[in-house]
Amino acid sequence: MRSETEMMDLINYFIATAPNIRAEILNGSWANPNVEGDIFQDYDVCCFVEDVAPYRTDRTFVEQFGELMIV
């Protein structure tokens, strides 16, 4: 399992290298310092893009963040 720093680095790299993404917001439990973490805590990232079509047709970009547990 990746550390919090490794995961945030991976997310930030993805956003910095994706020319279509204009803004991002981290929300959910990682954005709330009052939430006690657990092994199932995930990263809820909202990306604001110019064109959503590439992400609808090719969802393989998700694989770089780790194995999907629930789809």
Side-chain angles (χ1 to χ4, degrees), residues 24-54:
E24 52 119 348
I25 295 175
L26 177 66
N27 56 30
S29 59
W30 278 108
N32 184 345
N34 298 317
V35 172
E36 187 174 327
D38 61 42
I39 63 167
F40 296 108
Q41 190 174 19
D42 62 351
Y43 294 82
D44 302 302
V45 180
C46 295
C47 294
F48 297 86
V49 298
E50 289 183 356
D51 182 15
V52 72

Side-chain angles (χ1 to χ4, degrees), residues 11 13 15 17 19 26 34-35 37 39-40 42 52-53 57 62 65 71:
I11 292 168
Y13 177 78
I15 291 167
T17 59
L26 177 66
N34 298 317
V35 172
I39 63 167
F40 296 108
D42 62 351
V52 72
T57 57
V62 175
F65 297 105
V71 177

Side-chain angles (χ1 to χ4, degrees), residues 10 14 19 25 28 51 67:
L10 184 60
F14 171 75
I25 295 175
D51 182 15
E67 181 183 352

